[in-house]
Amino acid sequence: VHERNESKESETTKECFKYLDLTSRSFSAVIQELHPELLIPVTLFYLALRGLDTIEDDTSIPAKTKEPLLRKFHEILTVEGWHFDGNRPEEKDRELLVNFGCVTAEFNKIKPEYQEIIRDIAEKMGNGMADYCLNAEFNENGVDKVEDYDLYCYYVAGLVGEGLTRMFVESKYGNPALLDRSNLHRSMGLFLQKVNIIRDVREDFDDARKFWPKEIWSKHVDKFEDLFKPEYKQQALNCNSEMILNALDHADECLFYLAGLREQSVFNFCAIPQTMAIATLDLCFRNYAMFQRNIKITKGQACEIMIQSTQNLKLVTEVFTKHIRSIRKKNRPEDPNYLKISIACGKVEQFIESIFPSQ
Ligand code: PS7
Ligand code: MN
Ligand code: MN
Ligand code: MN
Ligand code: MN
Ligand code: MN
């Protein structure tokens, strides 16, 4: 929709886009097509939170260093030249924090209203991350109740939905009514985060991180690690179904949120991750490979989804309908959540039917 004008960009702006490319795979392309008013603010928002997450994810940083870093990260954003080289060398996005000076330099140049939104969300997220990752119980046993799972996802993703919504409204490219619907922007974040946690279960387990709540997995296996043993294949699949059922609950609110967007580049930016997420959920449903290795939708599928997600809401709902039907088809009566999954699919289908009646 819009194109960056590289000839007019400063050196630090170019550096920020370099780190956007290096750290995001999926977000970089959609962010770079945002309306010029939002392009740099959203890029800096992304890089700030990516920096915060790179500190959170690094288990080699001792708690006494990590806690103040997470809690004070929002203050660091305005400290010209601040950077951090305390990540372990293998940490994926270490380079971003080593060269964080380009982010702080650009941060001080954007409209104070955008600075304030980024600062506020980074403060809330950093404190939320600190509460979790410094809790011994969470580190040893993972997430306990579904309520704790929702709160963790709210800190790392629901808050991103809030911050982006505030930016859209600030720029006048978002409907101010969206600000009063906190359940909607929270669902936008939670749906993405939950799909990420479902899909990455194997990778996270290999890193000794458990995000699936005990309240759910304990209904299927005695120990979390049993999910990865071939003799518990059916239990693992049923547990996965219950996690997917939990995530599906957010799908209708995501579509409702998308229905409130008017500007095309903002719509595309918001819609693409959501259609990718529903396609990923479909790929994961009753797919045992998830417990053995990392799975991903194919490049071809991703391309097709991108095209369908950058037109209008009708085509976006068609992507959702296609994957909801596919989930329904794979649903099995032997699954303890068979009925609930069928009802959850029905709820999404009915919502779509209410906005686009078939006759
Ligand atoms: C500011 C665009 C559009 C209203 C870095 C976009 C990690 C799922 O942990 O690398 O490496 O497996 O796949 C993004 C709502 C957040 C939620 C969250 C900031 C949608 C730091 C995305 C992204 C709100 C915490 C994927 C939340 O990362 O995960 C901007 C509206 C960052 C959004 C993390 C995860 C993002 C995530 P990991 P990924
Ligand atoms: Mn993290
Ligand atoms: Mn991460
Ligand atoms: Mn990551
Ligand atoms: Mn993940
Ligand atoms: Mn990832």
Side-chain angles (χ1 to χ4, degrees):
V1 216
H2 301 278
E3 243 171 78
R4 268 174 61 197
N5 185 344
E6 291 191 52
S7 63
K8 284 195 191 156
E9 288 172 359
S10 70
E11 277 316 302
T12 46
T13 309
K14 286 203 185 89
E15 249 188 292
C16 285
F17 285 117
K18 181 184 110 186
Y19 287 109
L20 179 64
D21 263 336
L22 281 174
T23 58
S24 87
R25 312 157 299 279
S26 44
F27 282 113
S28 183
V30 274
I31 292 178
Q32 291 194 50
E33 298 208 357
L34 272 171
H35 190 284
E37 164 75 19
L38 284 161
L39 174 64
I40 292 180
V42 172
T43 298
L44 295 176
F45 191 24
Y46 179 86
L47 293 174
L49 301 184
R50 179 52 69 206
L52 196 57
D53 186 52
T54 304
I55 296 168
E56 189 216 17
D57 289 356
D58 190 334
T59 49
S60 78
I61 303 173
K64 64 177 192 315
T65 313
K66 193 183 266 198
E67 173 161 29
L69 268 176
L70 292 173
R71 297 202 193 274
K72 297 217 176 295
F73 198 79
H74 64 289
E75 292 171 11
I76 284 163
L77 292 172
T78 48
V79 180
E80 199 88 26
W82 182 88
H83 64 277
F84 179 70
D85 36 35
N87 279 116
R88 53 184 166 205
E90 323 78 83
E91 202 58 40
K92 188 176 64 58
D93 300 322
R94 177 194 152 87
E95 284 305 298
L96 167 67
L97 286 168
V98 171
N99 297 292
F100 208 69
C102 62
V103 178
T104 58
E106 289 295 307
F107 186 80
N108 286 314
K109 292 187 219 159
I110 59 171
K111 275 212 312 228
E113 288 82 357
Y114 292 128
Q115 289 187 26
E116 189 41 44
I117 296 167
I118 298 173
R119 199 184 352 256
D120 180 46
I121 299 299
E123 178 175 16
K124 289 174 179 155
M125 187 184 290
N127 279 298
M129 284 172 163
D131 291 346
Y132 274 79
C133 74
L134 296 161
N135 176 321
E137 159 71 20
F138 172 70
N139 287 323
E140 276 156 50
N141 306 317
V143 178
D144 185 22
K145 298 284 183 234
V146 171
E147 196 188 315
D148 306 323
Y149 175 58
D150 278 16
L151 184 62
Y152 178 76
C153 292
Y154 167 74
Y155 284 137
V156 301
L159 281 167
V160 188
E162 182 198 311
L164 288 169
T165 305
R166 284 162 64 183
M167 286 178 145
F168 302 155
V169 172
E170 179 61 42
S171 70
K172 308 266 191 316
Y173 295 115
N175 184 342
L178 285 174
L179 281 183
D180 304 326
R181 309 292 298 265
S182 60
N183 56 322
L184 301 185
H185 51 69
R186 178 179 166 276
S187 271
M188 288 287 285
L190 262 65
F191 188 57
L192 299 186
Q193 188 63 31
K194 286 180 175 185
V195 172
N196 186 293
I197 284 175
I198 291 168
R199 189 201 60 189
D200 291 350
V201 69
R202 174 80 220 195
E203 181 187 274
D204 289 333
F205 174 66
D206 292 340
D207 283 350
R209 291 152 61 98
K210 305 183 197 106
F211 295 109
W212 288 24
K214 185 174 182 186
E215 191 180 341
I216 291 182
W217 62 254
S218 64
K219 289 188 223 168
H220 306 275
V221 286
D222 292 332
K223 291 176 288 176
F224 187 75
E225 55 267 35
D226 290 345
L227 289 173
F228 304 93
K229 297 178 184 156
E231 59 270 38
Y232 295 103
K233 180 176 177 183
Q234 283 315 314
Q235 288 88 335
L237 285 171
N238 290 341
C239 181
N240 187 32
S241 286
E242 192 163 340
M243 289 295 293
I244 289 174
L245 169 66
N246 171 285
L248 263 183
D249 192 44
H250 300 287
D252 59 340
E253 287 192 330
C254 294
L255 293 171
F256 199 151
Y257 181 96
L258 294 175
L261 298 174
R262 294 288 169 267
E263 205 277 325
Q264 189 70 44
S265 75
V266 169
F267 178 82
N268 298 354
F269 167 73
C270 293
I272 292 172
Q274 302 295 331
T275 47
M276 295 287 179
I278 191 74
T280 302
L281 215 53
D282 177 11
L283 171 72
C284 290
F285 189 62
R286 310 247 28 122
N287 185 351
Y288 189 66
M290 245 187 62
F291 292 94
Q292 301 167 310
R293 57 182 165 84
N294 245 30
I295 58 169
K296 258 187 124 170
I297 50 176
T298 64
K299 274 249 162 65
Q301 227 188 330
C303 281
E304 195 191 318
I305 287 172
M306 291 264 220
I307 294 164
Q308 286 224 41
S309 313
T310 49
Q311 317 274 327
N312 53 52
L313 185 65
K314 174 95 173 105
L315 289 180
V316 166
T317 61
E318 283 170 14
V319 176
F320 271 70
T321 298
K322 170 180 160 185
H323 293 289
I324 290 288
R325 284 193 184 144
S326 161
I327 290 173
R328 251 189 201 294
K329 241 178 105 180
K330 289 183 275 180
N331 196 14
R332 286 287 161 270
E334 300 77 40
D335 187 327
N337 287 292
Y338 174 72
L339 210 57
K340 285 185 182 166
I341 290 165
S342 170
I343 292 168
C345 290
K347 193 178 76 159
V348 182
E349 287 167 339
Q350 271 177 33
F351 178 76
I352 294 172
E353 179 66 25
S354 78
I355 47 176
F356 296 114
S358 42
Q359 43 221 330

